[in-house]
Amino acid sequence: MGIMQRDVNWIYALAADASYKKFRNDTLRAGEVNRETLQEILKGNSETVYGHMYRFSEIHDTVKFKREVPLTTYADYEPYIDEIAAGKEKVLTADPVMYFGLSSGTTGKQKRIPMTAHSRKSVNMAMMFIQHGLLRQALKAARKGGKGLLLMNMLQSGSTPGGIPTGAGTSGGAQSMRRVIPYFWTSPPEVLAFPEQDTANYLHLLFALTEQNLTFMMSPFSSGIVQLFGVLSQKGSQLAEDITQGHISKELYLDPEIKVFLEQKLKANPQRGSEIQKELERGMEGIASRLWPELSYVSCVCGGSFSIYEDKLKYFIGNTPIYSAIYSATETLIGLAPEVNQPTYVIAPRAAYFEFIPLEDSDLEEPSTFDLDQLQVGQSYEIVVTTWAGLYRYRLEDIIKVVGIYNTSPIVEFICRKGQLLNLTGEKTSEAAVQQALSMALKATNTAIEDYTTTLDLGTTTGHYNFYLEILPDRRGFTEISTFRNTLESCLKQANPRYGAGVEGNRISPCEVKLVQHGTFQKVRQELIKRGASVTQVKIPRLIRDQYLISILEAHIEKHS
């Protein structure tokens, strides 16, 4: 590690520790801080169109705020967002909108979420400092600093008629951190702008493999890390040869100027190339710590619907700790992880003003809400946010469960999206129940899958659930689909007894299982990326209603299924 890198690590560690202390102090009086945050948001935006409409200047407590300002959804903001996109200012927020974060569109129409300098700074501070301050407390090995591999994309997809840039929510944040990238991450900034993820993954690996002392890997989701190691398993020998020779393979199509620029950053290293090849020959299990002995953690979201990738991730990284660093949405930061190997999050009191609707009331149009210091451990809630960037009492449609308390701020785990329910006759099989049932069935039948999704089939008198599974390429011997279907059906009844009662009462038909060809879910991802999803953050929806996406699945069903 050079002198400059050591100095950067020292300064960064000081900033991370200071940010952690501020965050910790905020959580000591979380409810009070959160209500102060609301007043700051209302005061700052009182002279906007929305602020005048609801008389923000006259609201001085949460009781009046909740009485005077209605709960909202994205549809309520579309006319205002159209005005902002055309160039009008002070509509929802007094601060200029610098960027529109585009949602993935996996659960409905793609949303344009306004971002301001303040809201972007909030997320960047969490990504760069607060989470690392928490991590440094939870994992001593993380204190050594060093460089890591970052799977992020800063590609902007376009701009509005008023000239405001648009793209994935994290793209704007990555753009704003461009100048510090060389000090913390191995990939040159240019790699983070590649639109084609397989090419980007190859280059991420290439530059990470040259850094033998790599100390961490970061990706928004665990699926990104798994895909990265998939490229390594397929292209490992080619990567080793590139490092040996100090060039980029001709098989990788790159613009000639970009290729020359990137190759200038490589040096021929036959010894390292030989080391990599030897480790590849030993197999992919636990390869991460063999290639990078200094690797101290992998940072990625691993809970909720992403738990399906956990076993595959651990196959590659062995016992390396997993840090599910941040829980956020395009709309706002929500929480930060206080521990490793636990996908749970402390609500960040200054990130937004938070309200919580009890799960049993979430179907009501105007339910009562609780503040973050009024929640009960063990209970589930729908999150409502008032953000720094102009969303007020906005129903995020995320369902969380409170699993503990950090000082006075709740520790939560993500359960599911409100719309991600299989519900034919009122049985309400949640995403969490589907995940539990599928995991039980896979374990019981010793089956491994690449990915999955579900649909509701209403083509018969009594509808049923369809499960689309992509079996791992090395497990193609899976032929007893009826056995697996029966096992899954049994597990569904255990996970949701109301589903079992529906089947027993002939109100629901037993589920169907359809195996799809290898690469099918990659085609689904590519379609979602075409629609605007980030290449590093695209999510496979666990319930698909979009007929075109369903047609992709149906067109690639294995013949024997």
Side-chain angles (χ1 to χ4, degrees):
M1 186 184 297
I3 295 175
M4 178 64 77
Q5 188 68 49
R6 282 198 298 269
D7 289 347
V8 168
N9 283 338
W10 180 72
I11 294 170
Y12 179 64
L14 288 178
D17 287 343
S19 297
Y20 160 71
K21 289 177 182 177
K22 187 175 186 300
F23 176 79
R24 183 191 62 192
N25 289 337
D26 283 347
T27 61
L28 288 170
R29 53 186 196 95
E32 183 181 346
V33 168
N34 200 227
R35 287 182 281 274
E36 290 172 358
T37 296
L38 173 62
Q39 291 304 316
E40 290 181 43
I41 292 172
L42 295 179
K43 182 179 179 181
N45 295 316
S46 61
E47 296 302 314
T48 63
V49 172
Y50 205 86
H52 282 298
M53 182 184 303
Y54 291 103
R55 300 192 294 271
F56 284 178
S57 62
E58 300 175 16
I59 297 176
H60 303 295
D61 59 64
T62 57
V63 174
K64 187 170 184 178
F65 176 66
K66 295 177 182 181
R67 185 175 66 242
E68 300 293 333
V69 180
L71 289 166
T72 60
T73 65
Y74 182 75
D76 296 307
Y77 294 95
E78 287 189 277
Y80 302 108
I81 287 173
D82 287 342
E83 291 181 353
I84 297 169
K88 188 174 180 179
E89 297 183 349
K90 295 189 176 182
V91 178
L92 295 172
T93 173
D95 294 334
V97 173
M98 301 176 62
Y99 190 81
F100 276 113
L102 302 179
S103 69
S104 63
T106 56
T107 58
K109 183 179 179 181
Q110 189 176 62
K111 303 169 186 175
R112 295 175 294 176
I113 305 300
M115 294 184 177
T116 65
H118 191 292
S119 64
R120 180 182 287 182
K121 180 181 178 182
S122 174
V123 175
N124 286 354
M125 285 292 291
M127 287 181 61
M128 288 296 294
F129 298 118
I130 302 175
Q131 65 156 323
H132 285 285
L134 284 162
L135 177 60
R136 282 164 57 81
Q137 301 299 315
L139 185 67
K140 290 183 179 179
R143 299 176 185 177
K144 62 188 174 184
K147 279 191 172 185
L149 184 158
L150 174 69
L151 289 182
M152 192 73 77
N153 183 274
M154 59 184 187
L155 186 69
Q156 295 179 349
S157 62
S159 61
T160 70
I164 301 173
T166 63
T170 53
S171 299
Q175 281 280 2
S176 66
M177 295 189 293
R178 186 184 182 101
R179 285 192 290 183
V180 303
I181 286 174
Y183 295 108
F184 297 103
W185 300 299
T186 52
S187 298
E190 291 73 16
V191 176
L192 276 68
F194 271 86
E196 209 285 309
Q197 192 58 29
D198 283 344
T199 300
N201 277 341
Y202 186 95
L203 294 170
H204 281 305
L205 278 168
L206 180 62
F207 286 98
L209 287 166
T210 63
E211 181 64 56
Q212 188 170 9
N213 295 321
L214 192 86
T215 59
F216 64 91
M217 305 176 77
M218 295 181 69
S219 174
F221 305 127
S222 53
S223 53
I225 302 284
V226 169
Q227 289 171 25
L228 185 85
F229 280 106
V231 173
L232 180 63
S233 66
Q234 297 169 10
K235 305 288 186 179
S237 294
Q238 186 175 309
L239 285 158
E241 178 64 19
D242 285 359
I243 290 171
T244 297
Q245 301 295 331
H247 66 201
I248 299 174
S249 171
K250 294 179 180 179
E251 294 182 21
L252 197 72
Y253 176 76
L254 295 173
D255 180 275
E257 290 186 12
I258 290 291
K259 185 174 183 179
V260 169
F261 174 80
L262 293 176
E263 286 187 330
Q264 289 173 349
K265 298 180 178 295
L266 294 174
K267 293 181 181 179
N269 191 339
Q271 181 179 347
R272 179 62 175 159
S274 178
E275 291 171 355
I276 293 167
Q277 186 59 47
K278 287 180 181 178
E279 294 303 335
L280 289 167
E281 290 170 0
R282 291 177 58 188
M284 293 298 293
E285 186 172 2
I287 195 168
S289 57
R290 290 188 277 115
L291 289 174
W292 299 290
E294 297 298 316
L295 188 69
S296 57
Y297 67 95
V298 171
S299 176
C300 59
V301 173
C302 217
S305 63
F306 294 100
S307 59
I308 193 70
Y309 308 108
E310 188 171 351
D311 288 343
K312 293 159 67 178
L313 178 62
K314 288 182 176 179
Y315 175 81
F316 297 122
I317 69 171
N319 294 322
T320 303
I322 300 171
Y323 184 54
S324 295
I326 290 179
Y327 171 23
S328 67
T330 306
E331 291 84 351
T332 186
L333 168 72
I334 300 166
L336 299 115
E339 299 180 51
V340 296
N341 297 323
Q342 291 289 335
T344 57
Y345 308 90
V346 181
I347 299 293
R350 290 191 191 274
Y353 171 63
F354 295 98
E355 301 173 65
F356 299 86
I357 301 170
L359 184 58
E360 60 268 24
D361 297 336
S362 66
D363 289 334
L364 301 177
E365 287 188 13
E366 286 294 329
S368 297
T369 65
F370 294 104
D371 282 3
L372 63 79
D373 57 351
Q374 299 174 321
L375 306 188
Q376 298 295 316
V377 174
Q379 298 301 307
S380 296
Y381 303 88
E382 178 191 344
I383 301 178
V384 176
V385 294
T386 295
T387 75
W388 292 96
L391 301 178
Y392 305 96
R393 305 202 73 205
Y394 178 89
R395 299 184 72 156
L396 202 58
E397 297 191 325
D398 277 13
I399 305 299
I400 52 90
K401 181 179 181 180
V402 180
V403 296
I405 301 293
Y406 181 93
N407 293 327
T408 65
S409 193
I411 302 173
V412 305
E413 65 176 354
F414 174 81
I415 301 300
C416 63
R417 291 281 293 165
K418 185 181 175 184
Q420 295 286 279
L421 290 172
L422 293 169
N423 192 28
L424 288 168
T425 63
E427 74 281 4
K428 294 185 179 179
T429 304
S430 69
E431 180 183 326
V434 169
Q435 182 69 44
Q436 178 186 347
L438 182 60
S439 296
M440 290 167 59
L442 292 171
K443 184 175 181 180
T445 58
N446 193 31
T447 302
I449 64 172
E450 187 75 38
D451 225 316
Y452 83 97
T453 192
T454 60
T455 64
L456 292 172
D457 192 323
L458 302 175
T460 56
T461 304
T462 54
H464 62 269
Y465 302 173
N466 282 328
F467 283 77
Y468 295 85
L469 308 180
E470 183 177 325
I471 306 298
L472 287 177
D474 58 354
R475 301 295 295 271
R476 302 312 277 180
F478 176 83
T479 55
E480 294 296 325
I481 193 167
S482 60
T483 299
F484 183 84
R485 188 202 66 79
N486 292 337
T487 303
L488 178 58
E489 180 71 8
S490 175
C491 293
L492 279 169
K493 292 175 180 177
Q494 292 180 54
N496 181 13
R498 292 176 67 178
Y499 169 80
V503 174
E504 296 301 323
N506 295 318
R507 296 186 300 276
I508 307 172
S509 296
C511 70
E512 294 293 337
V513 174
K514 301 184 179 186
L515 303 187
V516 297
Q517 299 165 8
H518 178 60
T520 298
F521 281 98
Q522 186 57 29
K523 289 181 171 62
V524 174
R525 288 188 185 92
Q526 289 168 352
E527 173 60 26
L528 293 172
I529 289 168
K530 287 180 185 177
R531 300 182 183 187
S534 166
V535 292
T536 56
Q537 291 185 262
V538 61
K539 307 171 189 176
I540 295 296
R542 298 311 181 197
L543 171 61
I544 291 181
R545 294 187 175 93
D546 184 288
Q547 289 302 313
Y548 185 74
L549 296 180
I550 293 174
S551 73
I552 293 175
L553 297 168
E554 287 290 329
H556 293 86
I557 291 176
E558 291 279 4
K559 292 181 180 179
H560 60 271
S561 64

